[in-house]
Amino acid sequence: MFALSDKAKRELSFIGLFGAFVFLQFTVLGLANHAGEGYLDTEQRTLVYYALQAFVIGGFLLHALFDRLASGKRARNAVAYGAFGVFVVCVAVMLLVGPASLACVVASMAAALCVGGIGGAAHLRMSMATVEGVRVARCMGIGSSVAVVLQYLLQIQWGPTPALPVFMLAATGLLLFVLPHMAPETGAEGSGDVPPTLPRRIVFAVVTAAAFILFTCFYNEHIHHLMIQSDYASYTVYSWPRLMLVPGYLLFAAIGDRKGGRYVPITSLCIMLIALLNVVLIGEQGAYWLNMCLFYLAIAAFTSYYLLTFWRLAPGTRNPALWAPFGRMLDSAMVLAAGAINLSALPMPVVVGLDIAGVALVIVMMALDGDFNLAEAPTASEEPAPTLEERVRMLAAECGLTDREQEALEALVLTEGTNQQIADSLHISRRQLQRHVSSIYEKTGAANRAGLVMRASGEVPPAEASGQTAPLA
């Protein structure tokens, strides 16, 4: 009988987690983009589109604020269940009343807010996985690809079909089941002692991501106006070129975990250069489908860049819940900015000039951040890095843990069991386990369970960890 390893099962859970979120995000926002059809005029529907982006950002920010202020896993789960409940009701209203009503517009805004809140939890969990040894690029790429194919078949090619609500309900149920079980027992506090290079890296990442997104904003706004004007008849982004997202995501799934993700920026830059053709070919009617393919390939590349970059940066910050989804928030913010300046109405030479300036800016940022240096991987002659299990034993010896404390440390770092489950596995009471845990925190300098993971994986040097609040994964 074929049995999956624990590592494979863990990766499958993260693929399911992020794939379910992306599927819901795509399908719900796809439905919401039609809100007001037959009820609102062209200008009003354009405003609805931009309002949806603002509500998505608001949902991410609300999640970050709540994660910062909430105390206790029970309170977190109660709010999460409430958000899922509101989300299901809003989607049901959207499906039942149809787009040509005010109720659909209101439900769409509330659903977009919930998408941001649920997305905040999903992004934070993917970010924490980066310090747990999970190959997040693979999970992101495969999960997103499956979501794109499902959405295309159920909502675009065949539908919307009656199966769409079933799959949406299944994805919601999966998230509702997985997220609370995969959440840490403590809050997602960040590091009390932020590494000195982290603020600079965040600034570089924000500027680079903004330049990448700028490349899609012009064509996104241009095609959006054409869609509304033609009632999605002559022009629509919901067509077969959307499947170009799949090879883009799979490309980053293949390279995103290599050398700590060092291939991600330079690959995104190469696709950025290819995406310049979007502006050059925009006036050619015969090149419409080529434009669409380039558009979606660029979206997959730039999305992969900012997701993976901010997921890896967030655990070292003081507020991981804010920074983990920051790239996604920046995406919606850039769409709003492009709409505010009416980017698609600018003269073509101006847009080309902005794109060339964006390329130059990305090259400068990547050079300053060392992204062109790809020769940092260990050679074949070097000793392989110790496994996480070996690092845990080394940490136990280094900090002078007792045998029982070492067993508790291994359970805390190497499993996802709750305190009660760990106590049962060690055949001790929960109170006795808590005494061991308190001693472990004192000896290792970690402040919480996720901090132990970072301490054991070598993310936090001993001198910095001692007496400081450890970064949460």
Side-chain angles (χ1 to χ4, degrees), residues 28-40:
V28 171
L29 294 182
L31 291 170
N33 284 338
H34 289 272
E37 214 172 71
Y39 176 78
L40 303 176

Side-chain angles (χ1 to χ4, degrees), residues 32 34-40 44-45 48 52 90 93-94 97-111:
H34 289 272
E37 214 172 71
Y39 176 78
L40 303 176
Q44 290 171 328
R45 285 180 60 197
V48 167
L52 288 171
C90 290
V93 171
M94 293 166 63
V97 305
S101 69
L102 179 61
C104 182
V105 175
V106 174
S108 297
M109 299 301 169

Side-chain angles (χ1 to χ4, degrees), residues 14-154:
F14 280 101
I15 290 172
L17 164 67
F18 198 66
F21 166 69
V22 172
F23 175 72
L24 287 178
Q25 174 185 259
F26 283 169
T27 52
V28 171
L29 294 182
L31 291 170
N33 284 338
H34 289 272
E37 214 172 71
Y39 176 78
L40 303 176
D41 60 32
T42 299
E43 185 176 344
Q44 290 171 328
R45 285 180 60 197
T46 300
L47 291 176
V48 167
Y49 170 74
Y50 290 121
L52 288 171
Q53 305 300 321
F55 273 90
V56 170
I57 295 174
F60 279 116
L61 292 175
L62 283 176
H63 171 265
L65 178 63
F66 176 76
D67 189 84
R68 191 74 172 175
L69 299 178
S71 58
K73 190 173 181 179
R74 181 174 297 180
R76 294 169 186 276
N77 288 345
V79 172
Y81 294 144
F84 275 105
V86 173
F87 175 74
V88 170
V89 171
C90 290
V91 173
V93 171
M94 293 166 63
L95 291 172
L96 291 174
V97 305
S101 69
L102 179 61
C104 182
V105 175
V106 174
S108 297
M109 299 301 169
L113 189 69
C114 292
V115 165
I118 295 169
H123 281 273
L124 179 59
R125 192 63 194 91
M126 295 298 290
S127 179
M128 289 189 291
T130 63
V131 292
E132 298 170 7
V134 177
R135 290 178 287 192
V136 290
R138 175 180 293 187
C139 297
M140 180 279 298
I142 296 176
S144 298
S145 298
V146 172
V148 168
V149 172
L150 277 177
Q151 189 235 357
Y152 175 77
L153 293 176
L154 298 174

Side-chain angles (χ1 to χ4, degrees), residues 237-312:
V237 296
Y238 301 107
S239 54
W240 66 264
R242 190 173 183 83
L243 293 176
M244 282 299 294
L245 288 167
V246 174
Y249 283 133
L250 292 180
L251 171 62
F252 284 86
I255 68 169
D257 298 308
R258 296 178 182 273
K259 295 187 178 181
R262 295 194 66 81
Y263 290 126
V264 170
I266 198 166
T267 304
S268 302
L269 174 61
C270 292
I271 294 177
M272 185 184 200
L273 295 172
I274 296 172
L276 268 173
L277 285 172
N278 259 139
V279 181
V280 176
L281 299 174
I282 194 71
E284 299 293 332
Q285 180 66 28
Y288 171 72
W289 296 113
L290 175 59
N291 273 110
M292 291 287 286
C293 291
L294 293 173
F295 173 65
Y296 279 115
L297 179 63
I299 286 180
F302 305 154
T303 300
S304 299
Y305 169 81
Y306 64 62
L307 288 181
L308 296 174
T309 299
F310 284 104
W311 284 351
R312 287 173 172 135

Side-chain angles (χ1 to χ4, degrees), residues 17 77 84 118 121-122 125 174-184:
L17 164 67
N77 288 345
F84 275 105
I118 295 169
R125 192 63 194 91
L174 177 61
L175 286 173
L176 192 59
F177 174 77
V178 170
L179 275 176
H181 287 79
M182 296 177 74

